[in-house]
Amino acid sequence: MKITRRIISTMLAIVIAFSVFTMALSAVFSFTLIDQDYLTKHFITDSVVSECEKQLDLEFSALEKKSSIPAKVFMTVLADMPVRQTMTASIDNFYNGHDATAYSVDRADYFYKICTEYLNANNIAFEEQNVRNVADEAAHIYSNCVGFHNIGYLRLYIEETSATIVSVTSVALVLAVAGVILINILYGDRAQGFKYLTSGVLGAGAGGVLVSIIAFATGVGTNIDMSPYIYKQGMAHCVDMFYLFFGLISFAITCVGVGGLLISFRFIKIDKIFRFVIIKKKGF
C-alpha cells in the first residue's frame, strides 16, 4: 500500500511540476514576447537605431549619385522623422494589424518637398516627375531601412499564441490544484504531503532553469526571418531576454521548492522524534 501511494504521489508531483512550469512559461511569455511594451523596450535598442541610421546614410549616398541631390538633404528625415519614433509607430501598427512597413504617400511627398526646396534654393532646374521618382525611391529606402517587412507569419503566431495561452494556463491551473488536493487526500500526514508538493515545485523550477540555459546556449527561436537584417538581431535580443526572465523566474521557483522541501524534511524529522517519544512512553 505504501509503495502504491508513493508511486501515485510521485506521479502527482510530476503533474504539479509540469503545471507550474507551464503556468510560469505562459506568464513570462504573456509579459514579454507577445507584449507590445516589452517589444518596444527591448527591440528598439540604441544599437539597432544606430545601425538603421548608418544604413540610411549608405542608401541615401547611393541615391545622391543617381539624383545629384546631396545625401544630407535626404538625411533631414532623421530630424523630422526619427528612426526610434518611426520604429515605435511600426510596432504599434504591427500589433494593431495595420501596415508596419513605414512607407506612405505622405512620406514620399515629404521627400519631394525637401528635394524641391533644395533645388529651388540653389537655382537648379528640374523636372517635377524626375524629382517625384527620386522622392518615391527615398521613401522606399526609408521603409526598407526602418519599417517592418516579412512579418505576416509573426503576427499570426502572436495572435494564435495569445489565444492559446489562456486555455493552456487554465488547464495547468486545474491540474495543479487537483494534484495538491489528491496529495492531501493521500496523506493525513501533512509533512509527507508537503514534501511531494514542494518536490513538484522544485522540479518545475529546476526544469525551467535547465530549459532556459539550453535554449539560450543553442539560440532556439533567435533565427527569425524578417527584414531589414538588423531587425533579426533586435528580435534575437528580445528572445534572449525572454530566456533570461524565464530563467530568473524559474530560479525563484526553485528556491521556493528547495525551501519548502527543507521545511518538510524538518517537520518529518520532528514528527518521527515525537512518535518515537510517544512509543517509548507507552513502552514504560
Side-chain angles (χ1 to χ4, degrees), residues 55-241:
Q55 190 61 35
L56 279 172
D57 188 36
L58 289 173
E59 294 291 339
F60 285 147
S61 295
L63 184 59
E64 175 183 356
K65 295 176 181 178
K66 293 170 59 177
S67 65
S68 299
I69 298 175
K72 64 180 182 181
V73 174
F74 300 112
M75 290 296 285
T76 305
V77 72
L78 296 184
D80 297 330
M81 303 175 187
V83 168
R84 188 180 296 273
Q85 178 181 312
T86 303
M87 289 176 67
T88 301
S90 293
I91 290 177
D92 184 66
N93 287 336
F94 167 73
Y95 274 93
N96 288 291
H98 301 145
D99 179 35
T101 61
Y103 174 83
S104 68
V105 174
D106 289 341
R107 188 157 284 126
D109 289 340
Y110 164 82
F111 279 111
Y112 175 78
K113 178 177 176 290
I114 62 175
C115 287
T116 53
E117 286 177 351
Y118 165 77
L119 294 171
N120 289 326
N122 289 276
N123 296 317
I124 300 174
F126 63 89
E127 292 186 12
E128 180 179 344
Q129 188 56 49
N130 290 338
V131 179
R132 289 278 182 195
N133 293 339
V134 170
D136 188 63
E137 186 171 351
H140 276 99
I141 288 173
Y142 187 83
S143 168
N144 292 336
C145 293
V146 181
F148 290 87
H149 301 268
N150 303 326
I151 55 172
Y153 73 96
L154 188 60
R155 177 181 285 136
L156 181 62
Y157 173 76
I158 289 177
E159 290 175 351
E160 291 178 346
T161 303
S162 298
T164 303
I165 279 180
V166 176
S167 57
V168 169
T169 304
S170 299
V171 171
L173 179 60
V174 170
L175 289 175
V177 172
V180 172
I181 293 174
L182 289 174
I183 285 177
N184 284 327
I185 291 174
L186 284 172
Y187 288 94
D189 182 353
R190 298 288 182 180
Q192 286 288 350
F194 191 62
K195 181 186 73 172
Y196 284 102
L197 171 61
T198 52
S199 295
V201 174
L202 175 60
V209 171
L210 183 62
V211 168
S212 297
I213 293 173
I214 293 175
F216 181 81
T218 56
V220 175
T222 57
N223 189 27
I224 298 172
D225 183 23
M226 64 185 301
S227 59
Y229 180 76
I230 185 62
Y231 283 6
K232 293 182 68 173
Q233 298 180 33
M235 188 59 72
H237 173 70
C238 288
V239 174
D240 286 340
M241 291 300 295

